[in-house]
Amino acid sequence: MKCEYCEIAERNRNVDILYEDEQVVVAIKDFAATAGQITVFPKEHFTIMEMVPDDVLQKCFTLANKVSMAIFEGLAAQGTNIIVQNGLGAAQKVPHFAVEVIPRREGDGLKLQWEPKEIHEDEKETVFLLLKEESEKLVDIGKK
């Protein structure tokens, strides 16, 4: 079975497409957290965000921002959640990178909040040390 988003990009699924170009598709979800949920995804199959080329990733997030503005104006939403479920551990349902834009209203009953927990000092220090080395690479990338 082919990827659900690849099928949409190839027009093998009947969904409402708001926008598409040679790289990206913006479609209205048929199974959604709330009415008006929009999915922005690259046409090319990339499983997770880290695989998506920077120019395509930038376009996805720029379009997600524009879609969010349209949701505020067109649906009179009071807010939006912009979510990326990046990998199986993040509850990704379709193995294809996508940005979800979810219209929100106060009291809509949608539960996307989580309870923060206190992180112990030794755990914070371990995480910091592990990520510090990896983040050093970001300095070089940021200079390009």
Side-chain angles (χ1 to χ4, degrees):
M1 185 171 165
K2 197 158 193 165
C3 166
E4 176 183 333
Y5 293 152
C6 289
E7 286 186 345
I8 292 169
E10 294 169 2
R11 301 290 187 154
N12 293 330
R13 278 188 179 236
N14 187 22
V15 300
D16 293 320
I17 294 177
L18 295 173
Y19 171 84
E20 74 175 304
D21 61 24
E22 64 284 345
Q23 294 179 311
V24 178
V25 174
V26 178
I28 297 179
K29 295 287 280 197
D30 48 358
F31 289 95
T34 62
Q37 180 175 339
I38 307 297
T39 304
V40 180
F41 60 93
K43 283 186 170 180
E44 188 174 340
H45 186 85
F46 300 105
T47 307
I48 57 173
M49 184 166 53
E50 293 78 2
M51 298 170 77
V52 182
D54 288 344
D55 62 323
V56 177
L57 191 63
Q58 181 178 357
K59 183 180 277 189
C60 286
F61 281 102
T62 297
L63 286 168
N65 182 48
K66 301 293 184 193
V67 164
S68 181
M69 291 166 39
I71 286 171
F72 271 97
E73 294 297 319
L75 300 180
Q78 295 173 314
T80 58
N81 285 113
I82 299 174
I83 298 174
V84 173
Q85 293 171 301
N86 197 39
L88 295 176
Q92 185 181 35
K93 302 288 186 268
V94 178
H96 190 120
F97 169 77
V99 181
E100 303 292 340
V101 184
I102 304 170
R104 298 301 305 273
R105 295 191 177 286
E106 264 189 82
D108 63 12
L110 186 59
K111 306 255 186 266
L112 296 178
Q113 290 75 24
W114 59 86
E115 288 294 322
K117 65 177 186 173
E118 185 176 348
I119 307 299
H120 297 289
E121 194 60 42
D122 59 333
E123 188 177 8
K124 283 193 323 190
E125 182 64 23
T126 300
V127 169
F128 175 78
L129 291 173
L130 290 170
L131 293 178
K132 179 72 172 149
E133 184 177 330
E134 288 300 314
S135 67
E136 303 270 330
K137 298 172 187 172
L138 296 176
V139 174
D140 294 333
I141 292 170
K143 291 178 182 176
K144 291 181 183 177

